[in-house]
């Protein structure tokens, strides 16, 4: 429904949705022109994700809009625009909280932590760990244990990059329990 509202959709074409698991799916969107294929790059993905977020919001699909907003932040970070990524993820987390969607808020916080962790500064590491702890708390409250464990795993990886091996080992152990 959301994909059918994208302006990049080829006229007369229909997006195809296929289940990938009991909780996941992929969507194939036939694009209007080969130039739209630039959306396959991280920078180009931002265009498609903004349109997806707008289409989902206009369709009243709050979860899809929030998911697209978080994916937009990730795409911006992957394209090298850390500042825009941080702003997009902070906005996604704030909107999710305002909309009463705690898991979507935790998703945005987790993604923001990953982006900060790539910055390789001690200050960013502290902030990233704080965001991961908050995301983990939310996931645990919402009974999403696999995502809570993912926060510990990500924290362990970040700590390992900073040669804080004992703390990393403790986080890996927590992720396994």
């Amino acid at each position: 429904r959301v994909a059918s509202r994208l302006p990049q959709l080829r006229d007369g074409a229909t997006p195809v949705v296929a289940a990938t698991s009991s909780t996941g799916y992929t969507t194939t969107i036939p694009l209007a022109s080969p130039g739209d294929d630039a959306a396959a790059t991280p920078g180009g993905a931002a265009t498609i994700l903004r349109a997806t977020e707008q289409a989902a919001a206009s369709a009243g699909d709050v979860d899809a809009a929030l998911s697209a907003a978080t994916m937009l932040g990730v795409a911006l970070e992957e394209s090298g625009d850390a500042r825009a990524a941080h702003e997009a993820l902070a906005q996604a987390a704030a909107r999710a909280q305002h909309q009463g969607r705690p898991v979507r808020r935790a998703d945005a916080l987790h993604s923001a932590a990953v982006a900060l962790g790539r910055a390789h500064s001690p200050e960013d590491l502290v902030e990233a760990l704080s965001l991961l702890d908050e995301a983990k708390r939310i996931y645990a409250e919402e009974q999403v244990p696999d995502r809570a464990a993912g926060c510990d795993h990500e924290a362990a990886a970040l700590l390992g990059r900073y040669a804080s091996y004992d703390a990393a080992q403790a986080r890996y152990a927590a992720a396994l329990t």
Side-chain angles (χ1 to χ4, degrees):
R1 180 177 70 166
V2 170
S4 65
R5 295 175 180 247
L6 294 175
Q8 293 86 352
L9 181 67
R10 185 173 53 236
D11 287 337
T14 303
V16 177
V17 178
T20 57
S21 69
S22 63
T23 59
Y25 63 92
T26 61
T27 305
T28 303
I29 304 168
L31 300 173
S33 75
D36 288 336
D37 202 31
T41 66
T47 302
I48 275 274
L49 289 167
R50 282 186 185 100
T52 301
E53 181 182 0
Q54 291 170 356
S58 71
D61 191 337
V62 174
D63 285 322
L66 292 171
S67 182
T70 297
M71 289 186 292
L72 170 63
V74 172
L76 289 168
E77 193 272 329
E78 288 175 351
S79 72
D81 194 345
R83 182 179 184 89
H86 181 71
E87 290 174 15
L89 290 165
Q91 288 174 3
R95 285 182 37 223
Q97 184 170 4
H98 178 75
Q99 295 286 341
R101 300 297 206 280
V103 172
R104 294 295 180 202
R105 178 171 181 257
D107 291 343
L109 293 173
H110 187 175
S111 294
V114 171
L116 278 172
R118 291 182 182 151
H120 299 292
S121 80
E123 296 82 14
D124 289 336
L125 172 65
V126 171
E127 178 67 15
L129 291 171
S130 175
L131 292 173
L132 287 167
D133 286 343
E134 177 66 6
K136 177 184 174 182
R137 183 191 64 74
I138 294 167
Y139 288 140
E141 283 179 3
E142 296 300 314
Q143 299 180 9
V144 189
D146 57 329
R147 291 189 189 177
C151 291
D152 277 327
H153 183 270
E154 191 64 49
L158 290 174
L159 289 163
R161 284 186 213 140
Y162 285 87
S164 185
Y165 300 120
D166 290 340
Q169 184 178 16
R171 289 289 186 127
Y172 276 126
L176 295 174
T177 59

